[in-house]
Amino acid sequence: MPSSDRPAPPPPVVEDKSASEASDLTVRALQQRIRQQEILAELGVGALQGSGFDQLLADTARLTAEGLRTEFCKVLEYIPAENRFLVRAGVGWDSGVVGVASVGADLASPAGFALKTGRPVISNHLESEERFRTPEILVRHGIHRAMNVILQGDGRPFGVLEVDSRSEDRFVEHDLAFLQGAANILGMAIERERHERNLNAALERHQFLIKEMNHRVKNSLALVVSMLRLQARENREPEFAQHLEDATLRVAAIARVHEQLYRSSDIERFDIGRYIEAICKDLGASFSQCEILVQAQPGIVISADRAISSALIVNELVSNAAKHAYLGDGPGRVWVDVAATGDGSLFSISVRDEGSGLPEDFEIGKGRGMGARMVGALAEQLDATLAVVPRHPGAEFILTAPLAP
């Protein structure tokens, strides 16, 4: 809509101007106008920088009083359920006023009239005011004159910005323009604060739902693990029972990540070292004939999906070592190391044993079993390299992957 077609703002409610009131163009008045512009700029910077909301309210009250050379200023927050204003911030008032005192919000009060009609109110002689009643808080502080403008915010009024003075001077419409400017800046900050509060509430709700989802997924996977183990115990074919046990360990590894995501404050990323430690603890319970020793560097944080892929690789390598490295040789050990490498953009996971070693024709990713194919596919998914280092005795597998894709 062209500016010429926009409805004009409602005129202020002011007392009749006396014949003696003329434009004050003295040096003092000009200096005051300049300072008012500086104050509006200062308030604008504070609003844009995202100062604490309560601090912004207090700064607005202090600077507005300075700009109008008044002793008192207050931000009145409207409480709809009680139809009253709470003195949310202010300057000049006795102790026990800010944050405690309240003012009526009906049309008979200057602030209430400004709120309900949207029209600014100037009253230069409260002691003889006939249009409105003088609030008790103003009487108690000996206030002679007051000026009120509405504080908008996010489509609905937040309250009123009011300046008050004990002096016999007068508020004029130039003063009203400054007060309305300060109120407009504060209104934008109020709107931003409400939007941020709503966004934070939505984010908290989103995080709660994701945590709850992870909790339920973990519980569902735990139920699958129990069913697989029950089926393995009831099956009389050792080879098929072993396949079920392998599947059980894989499902348990995935369940572990959802358990950690449920318990963690970060629902998308977590420490891979802690996760691998938890996986190896579960494997140690399944392979009691093999001691699994873990050394994990703390603080290596990766995304949840990369952690699952890494853990499934560790699950396969450790399981394979525990089942095949020490056949007929009694109890053995498997070492698992997790560390950052390179310039800090990579991490490595090493799985080492001191068993009988690998077959001479062994090649990574060439095995026909489910585990070998899974390790190869997961390493490719991680954009990782998987190297094998013959040891005497035993063998070592080293997975090296970027922290991020």
Side-chain angles (χ1 to χ4, degrees):
M1 179 184 292
S3 59
S4 59
D5 297 333
R6 294 176 184 167
V13 178
V14 299
E15 297 168 326
D16 293 335
K17 297 180 181 180
S18 67
S20 62
E21 183 178 324
S23 297
D24 184 2
L25 297 179
T26 63
V27 173
R28 182 173 182 272
L30 289 174
Q31 289 175 338
Q32 182 181 5
R33 300 289 178 253
I34 292 172
R35 178 55 185 148
Q36 288 176 353
Q37 296 306 309
E38 292 173 346
I39 285 173
L40 291 178
E42 187 175 342
L43 288 174
V45 170
L48 290 174
Q49 288 180 339
S51 302
F53 186 61
D54 289 337
Q55 184 62 49
L56 184 60
L57 294 181
D59 289 344
T60 300
R62 175 179 56 81
L63 290 171
T64 301
E66 178 189 339
L68 291 170
R69 294 175 177 167
T70 61
E71 309 95 309
F72 301 89
C73 182
K74 58 181 179 287
V75 177
L76 296 171
E77 180 180 3
Y78 180 53
I79 312 298
E82 303 174 18
N83 195 33
R84 69 180 181 90
F85 293 106
L86 172 68
V87 181
R88 179 70 183 270
V91 62
W93 307 100
D94 294 341
S95 61
V97 171
V98 175
V100 177
S102 62
V103 176
D106 56 294
L107 286 170
S109 73
F113 185 90
L115 178 78
K116 300 296 175 61
T117 66
R119 299 176 64 185
V121 176
I122 297 178
S123 184
N124 284 313
H125 301 92
L126 287 172
E127 64 277 6
S128 59
E129 181 63 73
E130 296 181 353
R131 299 167 302 166
F132 313 104
R133 71 171 184 275
T134 302
E136 188 274 334
I137 186 176
L138 301 186
V139 174
R140 191 167 75 245
H141 285 80
I143 303 299
H144 288 297
R145 56 193 177 105
M147 183 164 53
N148 299 267
V149 294
I150 192 170
L151 270 175
Q152 290 290 352
D154 197 21
R156 63 185 188 276
F158 176 83
V160 167
L161 179 62
E162 178 180 309
V163 287
D164 308 284
S165 178
R166 291 172 175 165
S167 76
E168 299 291 345
D169 204 352
R170 298 177 63 84
F171 289 124
V172 297
E173 291 191 31
H174 285 300
D175 298 326
L176 181 61
F178 166 73
L179 184 63
Q180 189 65 67
N184 291 344
I185 292 172
L186 183 55
M188 289 188 293
I190 289 169
E191 183 174 354
R192 186 202 66 204
E193 191 269 343
R194 282 178 173 168
H195 280 302
E196 288 180 352
R197 188 167 63 243
N198 291 337
L199 285 173
N200 288 335
L203 179 60
E204 289 177 3
R205 175 65 177 167
H206 175 69
Q207 291 177 330
F208 170 78
L209 291 175
I210 292 180
K211 282 180 174 287
E212 183 63 21
M213 179 189 70
N214 282 316
H215 183 54
R216 295 188 180 188
V217 170
K218 185 266 295 183
N219 287 343
S220 297
L221 292 175
L223 179 61
V224 172
V225 168
S226 299
M227 293 172 64
L228 287 173
R229 282 181 173 156
L230 178 63
Q231 186 70 35
R233 285 196 296 267
E234 292 182 352
N235 195 283
R236 296 182 180 179
E237 297 182 16
E239 184 178 355
F240 186 69
Q242 184 59 58
H243 287 319
L244 287 176
E245 179 61 25
D246 292 343
T248 297
L249 293 174
R250 292 164 186 152
V251 174
I254 298 173
R256 270 289 185 180
V257 74
H258 288 285
E259 178 181 19
Q260 291 206 14
L261 288 173
Y262 168 67
R263 298 181 184 278
S264 172
S265 58
D266 190 336
I267 58 176
E268 297 179 350
R269 293 152 47 87
F270 57 87
D271 191 319
I272 182 62
R274 290 178 54 197
Y275 180 33
I276 295 300
E277 285 179 339
I279 295 300
C280 290
K281 183 178 180 181
D282 291 343
L283 290 170
S286 297
F287 298 106
S288 56
Q289 80 283 7
C290 189
E291 184 181 5
I292 302 172
L293 305 173
V294 182
Q295 182 173 345
Q297 178 181 330
I300 304 174
V301 179
I302 61 176
S303 64
D305 58 340
R306 295 180 72 75
I308 292 175
S309 298
S310 302
L312 287 173
I313 292 174
V314 171
N315 179 82
E316 297 303 319
L317 295 177
V318 172
S319 298
N320 187 69
K323 288 186 291 185
H324 303 298
Y326 297 101
L327 286 178
D329 297 330
R333 290 182 174 183
V334 177
W335 290 264
V336 179
D337 294 324
V338 183
T341 186
D343 60 357
S345 62
L346 305 173
F347 71 97
S348 68
I349 302 175
S350 163
V351 178
R352 177 173 60 88
D353 65 75
E354 292 182 346
S356 56
L358 297 170
E360 292 184 2
D361 58 348
F362 178 82
E363 291 185 54
I364 298 176
K366 300 297 184 180
R368 297 180 180 180
M370 174 68 174
R373 296 199 306 272
M374 180 182 294
V375 168
L378 291 171
E380 183 177 351
Q381 180 179 326
L382 288 170
D383 195 21
T385 60
L386 183 60
V388 60
V389 180
R391 298 289 183 184
H392 302 285
E396 181 179 12
F397 290 85
I398 303 175
L399 175 80
T400 304
L403 294 175

